[in-house]
Amino acid sequence: MKTSKNYKQSIYNYWYKSTDGKVNLLYNTYTGALAFVRNCDLSDVSNLLENPNNLTLRTNRDDLFSKMFECGFIVEDNVNEIEFVKFRAFRGAFERRNLSITMLPTRACNFRCIYCFESEINETMTIQDCNNVLKFINSEIQRVKPEGISISWYGGEPLLAYDRIKQLSSELINIASANKIRYEANIVTNGYLLTEEIARELINSNVKLIQITLDGPEEVHNRRRPLKNRKPTFGRIKEAIIIAKKYFDHVDIRLNIDRDNANAVLEFLRKTDWLYGKNTVVRPGKLRDYTQKCADFAPQEKGFSAHEYNAIYEAIRKITSDKEEDIDTVFPNALPVRSFYCGAQVFGIYTVGPNSRVYKCTSHLDIGDEVGYIKEGKFIPNQQYINYFFEKHPCDTEPCKSCKLLPLCMGGCQVIRKKCKTESELKSAICDHFWGLLNKYLEKTALDKGQVMKGGD
């Protein structure tokens, strides 16, 4: 290590110390480096962070200094770390390996959920829409040379337009095969129309994952997720989940939770064994005010804070840990560093619906939310599309720009962040959630390390 250069502490360093003081963790949110700092090294590590240009200290602990530099805890003095974060964000946004499309075969729905954020738009993709989208995908494959195509069937309720799913799936599989690239698909459905025949056909169409929503026990679910005519849906959803577990590789059961149904859901999970399986994950979904409809349904007194939601998640994981269940990848054991928060900030990820309209966010699908359209196989963007990449980018705006969490959250949900009028609102809507994730991860890591040390004693 050359010592003639000047260095400084990374702005993305974060200390975590166990309550008993036996485990010291140093984490860097940009590199993802995690160091277990022994008490005998704690003073030297702290001094090197505070005085990285002390040549005597650097020489005496060259091994330690070199490792801290390698992990990104110490950086060269001329490094502008926020520019590195921004560079990684744009590289991730425009460096595509897959062509990913959320397909809305119909905007119609057979349910009338009390918290739905979508306006009722009874539009379905026409044959012309399908041909237009297929032409666009063919063109993108030739231009971009992706490694694969990923399709998410969404709605409305996609199974209301199952004939479109069958038609497009067959064509897309042929396109992928002709171009010798991977094809995979998933579907988000309320499950009401799922039958064994449809499940088998979806599997043959390479649909590997299915998500179905269930809001708790029968009386609670039926009140929150009835049919349009207000008739109950619980019985059919139960049948759909049982069918799904029989056929699909992965079954996600989403439980939309707020203060009204949280206790009922927890009790339901304790008593209901038919939900679980080796290919199944049961997880809570937090209701958020993406649109005014959501805000009207779930004001602050009904919706959960980040801390409350994390507590509910932990309570559910505690219940399901004794059940036979698949691994939940949404709440990872390690915290990934990010180039972006979600696909809305990525070039090459599209949501396409009837009339060949293109959207960026699946929570914003009303008329006027489109970011362009597909015409004769070409995507024609509008200004809203450009805004998703550049408007109020978290690397350019406070308080995100100066936050240690930025490389982990990348500003969080762009829609929610732009709605926050004050820093306090931003903290409640986004920041608390990610601070909770970070501290929970480090708390678990410290606990595991402490147990290993205790065992070693």
Side-chain angles (χ1 to χ4, degrees), residues 37-312:
V37 183
R38 297 176 300 179
N39 284 328
C40 60
D41 291 323
L42 184 57
S43 178
D44 284 345
V45 170
S46 299
N47 285 335
L48 280 170
L49 290 175
E50 295 300 325
N51 306 286
N53 297 310
N54 184 317
L55 293 180
T56 300
L57 184 59
R58 272 172 25 191
T59 301
N60 291 340
R61 293 306 310 266
D62 181 64
D63 58 329
L64 191 57
F65 180 84
S66 297
K67 196 66 178 177
M68 292 172 69
F69 178 78
E70 179 186 338
C71 292
F73 298 124
I74 291 174
V75 298
E76 293 183 8
D77 191 54
N78 65 347
V79 168
N80 185 329
E81 291 182 89
I82 189 67
E83 290 185 353
F84 273 77
V85 174
K86 191 173 184 179
F87 171 75
R88 185 164 67 186
F90 284 110
R91 183 179 63 184
F94 295 101
E95 187 178 61
R96 295 186 295 171
R97 291 192 177 93
N98 290 309
L99 180 61
S100 180
I101 298 179
T102 296
M103 206 81 75
L104 313 174
T106 183
R107 296 298 312 282
C109 189
N110 50 348
F111 276 31
R112 182 65 72 242
C113 301
I114 60 177
Y115 46 70
C116 184
F117 57 81
E118 294 189 42
S119 297
E120 185 173 3
I121 303 174
N122 290 316
E123 296 179 339
T124 297
M125 291 181 73
T126 63
I127 296 295
Q128 182 178 354
D129 287 333
C130 293
N131 292 335
N132 204 14
V133 170
L134 291 169
K135 187 176 180 180
F136 165 71
I137 291 173
N138 255 317
S139 175
E140 285 293 282
I141 290 173
Q142 303 310 314
R143 188 173 68 85
V144 180
K145 309 295 183 185
E147 295 176 0
I149 306 171
S150 177
I151 300 294
S152 295
W153 300 106
Y154 195 72
E157 170 45 47
L159 292 183
L160 285 172
Y162 183 58
D163 56 336
R164 293 289 181 262
I165 294 177
K166 287 174 61 176
Q167 173 197 351
L168 285 167
S169 294
S170 177
E171 294 287 349
L172 289 166
I173 289 171
N174 289 337
I175 289 171
S177 177
N179 288 277
K180 297 180 180 179
I181 60 176
R182 184 180 65 255
Y183 174 81
E184 58 187 16
N186 62 73
I187 186 168
V188 177
T189 170
N190 60 39
Y192 194 83
L193 298 175
L194 186 69
T195 63
E196 294 223 16
E197 180 183 0
I198 289 176
R200 285 193 293 266
E201 290 178 344
L202 287 172
I203 289 298
N204 291 334
S205 296
N206 222 29
V207 176
K208 301 293 187 183
L209 181 148
I210 185 170
Q211 177 183 298
I212 299 173
T213 301
L214 187 71
D215 276 13
E218 187 167 4
E219 63 279 9
V220 174
H221 172 91
N222 287 336
R223 174 170 51 82
R224 293 163 64 91
R225 296 180 62 80
L227 289 171
K228 277 187 175 181
N229 60 11
R230 302 301 174 185
K231 288 187 176 181
T233 62
F234 180 89
R236 279 292 301 118
I237 306 308
K238 178 180 177 179
E239 292 177 17
I241 290 172
I242 292 171
I243 290 171
K245 291 197 300 177
K246 182 177 177 181
Y247 289 98
F248 293 91
D249 289 356
H250 302 284
V251 180
D252 276 7
I253 300 173
R254 178 185 169 103
L255 302 134
N256 287 326
I257 292 185
D258 56 40
R259 297 185 195 281
D260 281 351
N261 72 333
N263 290 334
V265 165
L266 292 176
E267 187 63 22
F268 175 67
L269 293 179
R270 292 187 186 99
K271 295 179 178 180
T272 309
D273 289 332
W274 56 262
L275 278 176
Y276 306 102
K278 289 182 178 180
N279 61 340
T280 307
V281 170
V282 178
R283 67 165 61 94
K286 183 180 180 183
L287 295 176
R288 308 188 69 175
D289 56 339
Y290 292 112
T291 67
Q292 189 56 47
K293 289 183 180 181
C294 301
D296 290 342
F297 172 78
Q300 188 59 41
E301 63 270 14
K302 183 175 286 189
F304 285 120
S305 69
H307 297 303
E308 290 170 323
Y309 175 75
N310 288 338
I312 286 289

Side-chain angles (χ1 to χ4, degrees), residues 295-363:
D296 290 342
F297 172 78
Q300 188 59 41
E301 63 270 14
K302 183 175 286 189
F304 285 120
S305 69
H307 297 303
E308 290 170 323
Y309 175 75
N310 288 338
I312 286 289
Y313 189 97
E314 289 299 315
I316 288 178
R317 288 277 70 85
K318 186 175 181 180
I319 294 170
T320 60
S321 63
D322 294 330
K323 311 290 184 179
E324 189 176 52
E325 194 182 33
D326 200 0
I327 296 172
D328 186 356
T329 58
V330 173
F331 204 94
N333 291 323
L335 282 176
V337 293
R338 299 171 182 261
S339 296
F340 45 83
Y341 174 71
C342 74
Q345 300 157 326
V346 180
F347 183 70
I349 295 182
Y350 304 90
T351 296
V352 184
N355 295 309
S356 299
R357 297 189 189 99
V358 178
Y359 306 85
K360 255 302 177 186
C361 177
T362 54
S363 67

Side-chain angles (χ1 to χ4, degrees), residues 290-447:
Y290 292 112
T291 67
Q292 189 56 47
K293 289 183 180 181
C294 301
D296 290 342
F297 172 78
Q300 188 59 41
E301 63 270 14
K302 183 175 286 189
F304 285 120
S305 69
H307 297 303
E308 290 170 323
Y309 175 75
N310 288 338
I312 286 289
Y313 189 97
E314 289 299 315
I316 288 178
R317 288 277 70 85
K318 186 175 181 180
I319 294 170
T320 60
S321 63
D322 294 330
K323 311 290 184 179
E324 189 176 52
E325 194 182 33
D326 200 0
I327 296 172
D328 186 356
T329 58
V330 173
F331 204 94
N333 291 323
L335 282 176
V337 293
R338 299 171 182 261
S339 296
F340 45 83
Y341 174 71
C342 74
Q345 300 157 326
V346 180
F347 183 70
I349 295 182
Y350 304 90
T351 296
V352 184
N355 295 309
S356 299
R357 297 189 189 99
V358 178
Y359 306 85
K360 255 302 177 186
C361 177
T362 54
S363 67
H364 273 61
L365 299 172
D366 285 347
I367 301 299
D369 289 334
E370 61 269 17
V371 298
Y373 57 94
I374 295 172
K375 183 178 181 180
E376 297 177 358
K378 293 183 179 180
F379 171 49
I380 312 298
N382 61 24
Q383 184 61 45
Q384 288 194 93
Y385 180 78
I386 304 302
N387 291 346
Y388 268 97
F389 296 97
F390 300 107
E391 185 182 29
K392 295 184 179 179
H393 195 280
C395 290
D396 296 324
T397 55
E398 297 291 1
C400 299
K401 181 179 178 180
S402 301
C403 182
K404 289 181 183 291
L405 278 180
L406 180 61
L408 290 181
C409 75
M410 290 309 296
C413 173
Q414 188 177 111
V415 172
I416 297 294
R417 176 162 47 86
K418 288 181 178 180
K419 289 183 64 176
C420 295
K421 296 181 176 60
T422 66
E423 190 168 329
S424 177
E425 287 183 6
L426 183 68
K427 180 177 181 297
S428 176
I430 294 176
C431 308
D432 285 349
H433 171 68
F434 282 96
W435 277 117
L437 287 180
L438 175 58
N439 283 307
K440 182 65 67 175
Y441 164 61
L442 295 176
E443 178 185 351
K444 182 180 183 302
T445 304
L447 181 62

